[in-house]
Amino acid sequence: MTALGAALDALDLGRAPADGPVAFGGTLGADELLAAYRRGLFPLPAADVHASAYNEAVYGGDVETGEVALLPGGADPYALAWWSPDPRPVIAPDGVRIGSRLARRLRHRAGWRTSADQAFERVLAACAEGRQPVWLTGELAEVLVRLHELGAAHSGEVWEGEELIGGVFGVAVGPVLSLDSMFHRRPDAARVAVADLGARFAEAGGRLLDAQWDGPHVRSLGAVPMARSRYLAELSGDGAAGPPDGAVRPAARLG
């Protein structure tokens, strides 16, 4: 077990903040990142020294009092924040809402196709484009690519002809797929990507999609709040999903 893994095991998430970072520090590596996801945490790296200074200004007092943990590793602990929201928005993998309007559109759009794990790095790059604040840093992207190579990170893609028009990516832990980000270049293409990857994950034995951040958009996809304690129990439950089938399929089947 890595030093970060041992420190994560020592975290008392039952007393951790519900709507703020639960820890700062540590390092970003494939083993460390996977260890964090297995314990219900995901990273938000600071984009630059100004973002790191902001973290220290806002949360430094909580670190000093012990409300927010400080993990070992890293020259600047405030450059890497770890979050574990409570409650957690989750979706049944085969229960992503498409809606009747989009279903009708899909049936008349024979050109839309979907796939999985066929363009992981392109999906990552598209998800990072123009996002503020910047959290999908080059360092984090490199680690996610490594997790993809190891079979732990997956992407869903939506195509119009040869153009990638939508996508989503996330990290799988046991029966849970934690969705990190999505993008679209056509209306509703991101929703189609989530629905398709969720369906493939369900076929592979997955039981839960984790949307990480609650809000109107993920609620419209079918997300419901789950207490952090129950979410952690789901993560450690029996069974693990296999890799999603990556074959190209018509998007119309989702309608």
Side-chain angles (χ1 to χ4, degrees):
M1 178 183 296
T2 66
L4 178 59
L8 292 173
D9 277 343
L11 282 180
D12 183 3
L13 289 181
R15 301 177 58 186
D19 56 357
V22 299
F24 283 98
T27 55
L28 275 178
D31 291 341
E32 290 79 7
L33 188 56
L34 198 53
Y37 275 91
R38 285 173 176 154
R39 292 161 177 83
L41 283 74
F42 56 86
L44 276 188
D48 50 38
V49 294
H50 302 292
S52 175
Y54 174 84
N55 284 341
E56 184 173 10
V58 174
Y59 300 108
D62 294 332
V63 171
E64 290 179 2
T65 62
E67 182 178 355
V68 176
L70 194 62
L71 303 176
D76 177 5
Y78 291 98
L80 183 56
W82 298 95
W83 290 69
S84 183
D86 187 15
R88 198 73 163 244
V90 298
I91 314 171
D94 56 355
V96 178
R97 290 178 187 159
I98 287 291
S100 57
R101 177 186 60 84
L102 178 55
R104 287 193 299 270
R105 288 171 57 198
L106 288 177
R107 288 194 291 269
H108 291 88
R109 284 186 168 174
W112 279 30
R113 298 170 295 118
T114 62
S115 62
D117 289 339
Q118 301 299 309
F120 186 85
E121 293 188 47
R122 291 178 62 186
V123 170
L124 245 64
C127 286
E129 287 176 5
R131 299 291 177 90
Q132 294 293 332
V134 177
W135 64 270
L136 186 48
T137 60
E139 181 185 15
L140 177 55
E142 288 180 7
V143 178
L144 287 166
V145 169
R146 179 56 181 153
L147 287 186
H148 174 63
E149 293 169 349
L150 294 171
H154 302 286
S155 62
E157 302 93 22
V158 182
W159 307 88
E160 186 174 78
E162 299 302 315
E163 183 183 359
L164 180 64
I165 61 169
V168 62
F169 76 90
V171 176
V173 176
V176 177
L177 178 60
S178 187
L179 302 176
D180 286 283
S181 188
M182 64 187 79
F183 83 97
H184 68 273
R185 294 189 177 126
R186 299 286 189 279
D188 293 317
R191 181 182 295 266
V192 172
V194 174
D196 181 75
L197 186 59
R200 294 172 191 258
F201 189 63
E203 292 170 0
R207 295 202 301 267
L208 206 64
L209 300 179
D210 164 28
Q212 295 185 348
W213 302 106
D214 201 1
H217 179 63
V218 298
R219 291 294 182 101
S220 75
L221 292 171
V224 296
M226 176 180 283
R228 182 164 59 199
S229 58
R230 184 180 168 194
Y231 175 76
L232 295 176
E234 290 286 343
L235 275 179
S236 59
D238 294 334
D245 178 11
V248 175
R249 301 177 180 177
R253 80 188 197 287
L254 297 169

